[in-house]
Every structure is written in structure tokens, then in C-alpha cells.
Amino acid sequence: MRVRTVVVVFVALLLAAGSPGGPGLAQGKPTLRMLASAGGSGASFAAGVSEFERDTGIKVDFIQAPYAEVREKQLLELTSGSGTLDIVSVDDQVWLPELFHYLEPLEPYVRRDSLDLNAYVPAMLNLYRYTDPVRNQSALYALPIRVGGFVLIYRKDLLQQAGIAQPPRTMDEFLADARALTHGGQYGIAFALKQTNYLTSQFFPILRSFGADVLDHTRAHPAFNTPLGREATQFFVDLYRKYKVIPQGAITYEQDSVIAAMQQGLTAMTITYSPYVVVMNNPKASKFAGQFTVASQLPYSRDSGLKTGVTMINGWGFGVSRDSRSKDAAWQFVKYMASPKAQDLMAIKYANSPTLKEVYQNREFQAVFPEALPVLSVLDHASSRTGVVQWTRIEDIMSATLSAALVGDKSVPDALADAERQVTQILRSAR
Amino acid sequence: MLAPAVVVLVVVLLVPLLFSLRMSLFDWSMLSPTHRWVGLGNYRRLLADPGTLASLGITTTFTAVSIAAETVLGMALALLLNAPLRGLRAVRTFVLLPMMVAPVVAALSWRLLLDSDFGVLNYLLAQVGLPPQLWLGRGLALASLIAVEVWENTPFVVLMLLAGLQALPQALLEAARVDGAGFWQQFRSITLPLLSPVLLVTLVFRTMFTIRVFDVVWVLTGGGPADRTLTLSVDIYRTAFRYADLGSASTLSWLLLLVTVAITAVYLRVLQREALA
Amino acid sequence: MNARARPGLRRAALAALAYAAVAVLLVIVLFPIVWILLTGFKTQMDAFSLPPKWVFRPTVENYVGIFHTTGNLREIPFATYFWNSVVVTLSSTALSLVVALFAGYSLARLAPRGAGAIGLGILAVRMLPPIVLVVPLYVLCQRAGLLDTVWALIFPYTALNIPLATWLLRSFLQDLPRGLEEAAMVDGCSPFGAFWRVIVPLAAPGLAATAVFSFILGWNDLVLALPLTTFHAPTLPILASRVRVDEGVLWGRLGAVATVLIVPVLLFTFAAQRYIVRGLAAGAVKE
């Protein structure tokens, strides 16, 4: 009967399709597996991965996925000890406190291969060091591959037209310039204000540039409900609610809308992740390509006692999974991606944010990314997000708090007090 | 003959379900190899948490309004499409389209449409002189989510009710018309009671699926602004995969399950009484 | 105006109103879908522009983007996503139909003890949000060696389909005259033959309805597909989900993926449509 034939063929195909592609055979080179965040990061990494395959003959199964997916899948795979992943993407101090249990400490490999760690920008390398709070041991768990920071990106032409000679150096100037640039359907600033972890990242540089911080130096207590913290938060909220120099729609903005707002000429300035200036200057995507540039420092608050703004430094590192069956090959890969060859390639041709000092001095790179030196100077005054295991929860609390203040559900002092209470509780129930 | 179904369900659904019940009785984190027994501690803590109660409230509002809208609209559309007019059969398939779109695709598409600066909806409003709205802002976020949910799922209701209408014994309706019964009377005394069984199935399944809506909320608002659209499902996802806290996530899931069972029990009681009347 | 005196005019007016309502309905239903399909032919800049673009230069770069995946792009080939989706969806649909038919028949005709309770139990398992099944299923699949294979999805989807399918088919079969199977067996059929030749054809419309719902679940699900597959068995919804990147959403690509996703469902539904409404009509009403 025809039906029977169809069924038999179908079942045969099913069995063929369903056979799990196991790990690489013992003889021959292993296949390495990893997940990476899609977008600018994934695209630049992909180029490096292909070079690695060409140079070493080791195959790499490299999957790009949205940030939340990478997190979900890595959590599942690593905590189950399945050994499916060989290389682990690490979102610096946010994921490290959770993932370090599952990562190989890299110092033994570094020593064995005589890798010079001084070649890396120190602030970037330190993002991937973590001190195990229980054993009080510090180790390096990943090498930095793509690290940038939040910088002030602005439209040269618009500032010139408004008679502003140079980008704002203080928060007062930042506000004044924004007001001067807000007229006729154009706004001074684009910020990502949607209630997501990006909102907390958007706020972090402002908070730091007012001289406050999320947690104190012991990392056991919240430190944002202080006079400076309140000033920072009020300033942030006022930009949106009182002075309206940010488009009202920004309450739904994530990174893409910020970039689009700049590209489409809706806004004149923004404080966002450094590699995005390349996207804004891309003539295929932007109406105002070529007009965007980076200020060499973030604005700061005069009350803070600081001399320059402090930004947030963050990015991706690659580590080796403790359960990997090909640790040596995985280390080779990580080392390669952090090596001058790969870093040069990814930075010059694929808009990566390099982590080796020498790339910043590379003329070819500077030609492609004229903002290289200003960005590096901003990153000199940067701090990372605090490495505590509850950071993800703290991020969500801050984001909900800021959102409440931004939409007017709570006053700034009330919102901060509420957040302080919740963060204290979270930190107290530390695992 | 029941065996295969029971086996599949037990292995694939019941075992994980019981496993999740077990997890809810522990302080169970994905990041830790050992787990501490807390008994009903998770339940006590979460039920006392204003955040959970707020989520429950938002989920209830979302579900109730969505289902009410879907039912009323679905009924009206089913009646409309049942009319003996030419060309309606072709229309019926198109009306089903929103149901066929993958939830994540539908959610992303609506995000594009509802964007306050770059979205086409505000553009069209501006063209007719109306002010642009912050569709996903403080005031309208929940309403917008409900609208998208209704858009996506009314077709299911239409499909079910239309089938029910088409199976109505025409003789009864004819007799009523001959007796001089108006449309409304016909509807109340004949159509609606006879449709009760279909309505029951539809309501039960719509409730089950709406109460745990995830894609639409996660993609459009992420639960915000200011947690105003934080439904239980989003809370569960966040707790499980952002905080790696499976104990609490399982507890919340069981709370959701119990609420769903309760609502279904109510439906069964009310509608079965109606059907028998 | 006396309704009885001018029935023709009244009917015409109502018909006009009905058509107008249908037109509005079609606009509301189709506009978002048409918009996103159109976006599949826009460049990123056109897709997310201020103001939104109605007139634009169409491009096929988004389609090229999802079909051409070699070289430096290092993406999973489109064919893999597509084939996995086809296999998973058709298999889970077929399995669901068979299992649910047996279960529905059993509950409807053989009336075992506790049929009501079993029926409710079957429904209740479906009430747990799938998200919470993820971790237990992940562990189960890992232990069984099924992770990242099509089986990791076929079994859960079948299980998720069974409750609705069983309910539908049970109510459908409940009303068939009792003596049918006996009559067939008197005529010389085996019990299975009676089932296959008499019951199944009568249940065909109900089976078609079930097939459509099952197809839609398997074809569109993301919640379970995402954690249970990675390199070998990802399905099309995962491709759709991957239009989200760090810098935002690739709207053009979303349009292209949405189009590819919806065509098979449309075709399947058209094919089954002749049976669906008929199937649900007889099935659900005779509860």
C-alpha cells in the first residue's frame, strides 16, 4: 500500500535525522563548540573563528544567538555538566560570579605558553579576574576578546550649528547643550529607558560620574541612596520628565532605538556602547554617516569631586569549560582570539573593540576607527559592574526602580529608598 | 487503548510536573549542586510578597479582559461570517491568519508597528490629525498587550464558534423565525444554549493559554514599564533564567497551575448548568 | 419603515453593513501581517526609519541573508532549520493523531472506569506553563541521550497536543451510533478492521482539526525548542528568534523569516480547511 511505503521511508528518514551528532572522533581533530551573542559581537567573532579554522584545521561549531538565549543555554549546559560546550562566552563581571565554578582557571595555561598578559589593556583583563568568596582565591577565568565602554557620542554638525565649540565636560554643560539642541522635533539626548537590564547600564555611568556607586567597596551594602546618588538619579529622571530633552518615546527604547534615533537624526547626543559609533557612521544604515564622533571623556558632576566622568567598561571574554573534553584545543582557540593576529583582523575589518594595547596604536585601526584614542582615554576612567552573584537581580531591581521614577509612579527619593531596601534584602540572603 | 496516551503524558508531562513540584519545596538554584529543604517556605514567602500578588493581579486582569474581548468579538465575528452572503467562505481562511503566525513573530511585528517614534500606527494617527501615543508606555502598555493578544487569538474562538453555529439544527431556528422570534431572542434562547458545549471547550483552552502568555509580554515590554505588565509567566522566566532560582520559579508555576484549575472548575460548573437549563 | 413591507431593502442594507464589517475586519487582521511581509523586502534603514516608509526600493538581501549562510557568516544552514521543523512537526502531528484517537475512542466508547477523572487529569497536566518543563525535560533528555535531536521535540509536542486532541476526538466519537463496530464485525471485519474502516473515516474531520492545531504548535513553538536543541536540531522558530541581536532587531530579516514560516502553515490549513469546520461542527457541539 502506498501509505505503508510512505510511512517506512518517513521513519527511515526520521531515524537518520534523529541520530545525535556526537563529539568528534578520538582520532582526528576535535570539534569545538561555543555560543556567542549575535550582532556586532558575533559578526566580528565569526571572522576570527574562520581564521582560526584556516590556521589550525580545528573545526569550531560557533552559534550566534540573542543575549538572553546565550545566557539561558549556557546556564543549562554548564550546570548540567554535559560537556557540550568547550568555550564559554563571559559577560564580564555580570556572569563571572555565577559561571566561574564551571570555568578552568587560566593561569596554568598562561604560564605554560608564556603568554604576556601585560599586552592587554589592564582594565579589560581585570574584568575576567574573580575572587572566589568562599575560598578567597583569585583567578583569571577568561581572556578579554571584545571590550568597550559607554562613551558620549554626538553629532559634530549639530553642535557646531548650535554654536557649541566642544562637547560638554560637566553635567551642567551636558544639560545646557541638550536643551540648546532640543527644538523643532529634534531632541538633545537619546537614552535607552525601557525596563530592561540595559536601563541599569544606561544609568550606571551617570551614577558613577556623580561620584556614587551601586554597591559600596565591601560589595555587601547598597551605596546609591546617598545625597550624590539621589542627585544623579534626579538628574537622570529630570532629563526625561522635567527638561524633556529626551524623546518621550524613549521609555520604550532599547539599544536599537537609540542607534536608530541617532542614525535618523532624531537626537543629537547619546551615551552608549563605544562600537556603536561605527554603526552610526555607516552610510548604508545612517542618514548622517560621518557626522558622529566620540568625546574623549564623559561629563562629570562638579559636586562629585571628580575631575572627569567615570564610565562603565564591559564586554565579552572567552573562557574554557571545566567539563570540556578538548580543553587544550579550547585554550588554543581562546588564546588565538585574543592574539594580535585575530584582534587586528576583527578590529580593522569587522568593527570589534580590541583588548590588546597594540591594536589601539595600529595606524590601520585608527584609520578605520578615528575615535580609537578618545575611546581608550574614556576607558582609562572606567569601572566595571560589581562582581557579586546577585548582580542580575540587582540589575532588575534598579531597572524597575528607575522605570517607576521615569514614569512618575514614584518620586526619586521614594524609589531609591525602595530599591535600597530590596537590594539589602537580596545581599543579605547571599548564597 | 488509553495506554499510549497515558504513557506519553506521564513520561513527558507528569514526571517533569512532579519534578517541578519537588523543586518548589527546596531552595533550588541552578548554580548550586546542593539544595536545602524549605518545605512550604517558598510558597509562604512568595504569597506574602507584594510583587507576586501584583503579578497575580496583572495576570488576572490581562486574562479576564482578553478572554472577555475574544469571546464577545469571536461570537460576533462567527455570527457575521455565518451569514449566507457570497464570498464569506474565502474570508474565513484569512481571518485565521493571526492564529497561524508564530507568537514570537507576531510579537516582534507588533513591536515594530507600535513603536512610538518609528512605528506605522502613530504615523497613521498623525496623518489623520490625532496625537501619537506611547503605546507601550505607562498608561497604555497593558491595554496594548491585551489588544495584541486579542488580535492573535480571536481567530481560534471564531473557528470554534463558527463550527458550532454551522452544526445548529436549522429546523429549530426556522421554527423560531416562523413563530416571529427576533434575532436577539433567537440568540438568547436557542443559539447560545446550544453553543454552550463549544463555548466551554473554547473558554477552557483560551484561559489555559492566556493565563500563561509569555512571548507577547516579554518581547513588547519585558514586564515594564515599572513592572506594570509583569505577568506571572514573565516573572517565572526571569526567576528561572535570569536568577537561576528554580525553587521559586517552580513555586510560582504551581501557583499558576492552581489558579488555572480553579478557574476551569468554575467554568465547568457554570457552563454545565447553562447547558442543562 | 415596516420591516415586513420592504424586506428586500432591509436585507440589502444589512448585507451592505455586513460586507463593510468584514472589510474592516480584514484590514485589522491582515495589516500587521502584510506590513511585516513587506518589511521583508526592505533594507534595515528603510525598515526602521523616521517616518515609516511605504514607498521604498525593494531588496532581496534579507532572503539572501537567511538562505546563504556559508563562509564567514558561519550560520546554521537554512535547510537544517527547515528540515528539522518539517520532521518534528509532521511526526508530532502524526503521533498525536494516533495516540489521541485511541485515547478519545477509549474514553468515548469503551468508557473505562474513571473516564471522567482521567479526562480531567489529561486536561490538568496541560495547565502547567511549558517554561517550567524546560529544566526537567532538559535533564531527562540529557540522561536519555536525546538532547539536540528531533526526538527531544517530537515527544514533548506530542504530549502537549494530546489533551486538546483527546477532548476533541472524544466528543466527536461520543455521538456515533453504538452498533457501528458490531455491525462491521458481523459483516466479517476484525475488531481492528472495524475500527479502521468504520470509525476512522467518520472521525476524519475531527482528525483534520486536530492535525491543524498540532501542526501549528510544532511549527511555531519556541519555548521548548530553544533549550532542547542547539547545533543539530534547531527548528524555524529559533531562526525567527535570532533576528534579535545586541544592537536591536533585524526587521528586514524578520519579515523574510515570517514569510517563510507562514507559507507552509497556510498551505496546510487550506488543505485541511475543508474538513476543519465540518469536523469541529459535529465534534464539539454534540458534547
Side-chain angles (χ1 to χ4, degrees), chain A residues 339-349 356 358-359 362 365:
Chain A
S339 70
K341 179 165 188 197
Q343 286 284 315
D344 279 344
L345 168 72
M346 295 193 292
I348 296 170
K349 295 230 169 63
L356 280 173
E358 58 105 37
V359 184
N362 184 323
F365 177 58

Side-chain angles (χ1 to χ4, degrees), chain A residues 71-72 195 253 396 403 409, chain B residues 117 226-228 237 242-243:
Chain A
R71 178 179 173 70
E72 183 185 329
Q195 184 185 331
Y253 279 12
D396 284 355
S403 185
D409 270 0
Chain B
D117 295 317
D227 276 354
R228 269 156 179 266
Y237 179 84
R242 271 182 71 70
Y243 312 152

